[in-house]
Amino acid sequence: MRTSIQTHPGPATRLSAAHPSATIPRSISSRRSAVLRRNESTYMPVRNLFSTAARAAALAALLAAGSAHADDYTDVAQLLKSGKTQQALQKADTYLAKNSRDPQMRFLRGIALSNDGKTEDAITAFRQLTEDYPELPEPYNNLAVIYARQGDLDRARSALEAAVRNNPNYAVAHENLGDIYARLAYQSYAQSLAKGGRPAALNPKLKQLKDLLQPAASLATPAPAR
């Protein structure tokens, strides 16, 4: 899923959010979505999900239940890929009525809410996941995509820093975080220039950052589902 976000003043910021495509034990990749290069996809890795023995036992139970419901995950993911957001949301809600703690389906539901334009509900869904499963990096990444779309780059940065802290090998979040840092640098240089900073020093930096960030504007149209 590709979307672009425009924050003012300055060039567009584009982040990547997850789309339906992986499994709970694997990292997810996704189609692009706003200078954060990706929203996390539909399945989350669980290698760092639980730190204590009790949480590990709970995770084992969740994974056992999750494997039994793999078809439900696949069905919701496919509905999301096909753009059938309302059907995906209904199926996720039906599943969660009986399996309310399932992190994978809750994550899929958050994506469905985001795709359906229910931004505040999506934020709530991803935030609750970060509270219940703070070790998971993907919900933080998807929160950052939403925050960046809203122009709240500070919160996007904080969410992404949490994501890479949880999983230092999470390439998507690192890329997104780099984009956010670049956007924040652009804003700081622009503020300096507006307040009497040295044009000779600032204008070349602004041009370089604008050239770096602006191509996102040409990717504003969501890619069609395949």
Side-chain angles (χ1 to χ4, degrees):
M1 125 192 87
R2 276 187 198 197
T3 58
S4 84
I5 55 176
Q6 180 71 44
T7 57
H8 300 284
T13 304
R14 184 174 144 231
L15 305 182
S16 300
H19 81 324
S21 75
T23 46
I24 258 194
R26 299 182 57 223
S27 282
I28 22 193
S29 64
S30 80
R31 292 183 281 184
R32 305 246 176 187
S33 167
V35 141
L36 290 185
R37 295 256 170 213
R38 278 186 272 216
N39 239 312
E40 229 8 298
S41 86
T42 51
Y43 298 93
M44 298 175 294
V46 291
R47 54 188 172 278
N48 296 318
L49 185 55
F50 290 72
S51 56
T52 67
R55 286 169 71 81
L59 174 59
L62 277 172
L63 289 178
S67 62
H69 295 288
D71 288 345
D72 294 287
Y73 299 150
T74 301
D75 289 348
V76 174
Q78 189 57 52
L79 288 168
L80 287 170
K81 280 185 175 181
S82 302
K84 298 176 181 178
T85 306
Q86 284 292 328
Q87 292 180 43
L89 192 53
Q90 290 170 6
K91 190 169 183 64
D93 284 340
T94 298
Y95 175 96
L96 289 169
K98 298 179 180 178
N99 305 276
S100 61
R101 296 277 301 170
D102 189 310
Q104 185 65 63
M105 191 62 79
R106 287 169 63 184
F107 188 72
L108 285 167
R109 182 176 181 274
I111 295 172
L113 289 167
S114 183
N115 290 359
D116 201 35
K118 296 182 171 70
T119 302
E120 292 306 315
D121 289 340
I123 288 174
T124 297
F126 290 130
R127 274 183 182 163
Q128 287 175 343
L129 269 173
T130 66
E131 292 170 4
D132 292 343
Y133 304 104
E135 298 88 348
L136 287 174
E138 289 79 11
Y140 288 105
N141 183 78
N142 281 31
L143 272 174
V145 173
I146 296 174
Y147 292 148
R149 188 181 297 134
Q150 294 176 330
D152 192 342
L153 301 185
D154 286 331
R155 292 175 84 181
R157 180 194 61 200
S158 295
L160 287 166
E161 287 173 347
V164 299
R165 194 160 51 242
N166 287 349
N167 181 3
N169 296 318
Y170 191 6
V172 168
H174 278 292
E175 182 181 4
N176 285 343
L177 185 57
D179 288 334
I180 288 297
Y181 284 152
R183 187 66 184 86
L184 288 167
Y186 185 97
Q187 289 185 345
S188 291
Y189 290 143
Q191 283 293 314
S192 178
L193 188 63
K195 296 180 185 302
R198 297 172 299 143
L202 294 166
N203 282 331
K205 296 176 182 179
L206 285 166
K207 183 180 185 304
Q208 287 180 345
L209 285 169
K210 185 174 182 179
D211 290 344
L212 174 68
L213 296 170
Q214 198 61 54
S218 65
L219 299 172
T221 304
R226 295 179 183 275

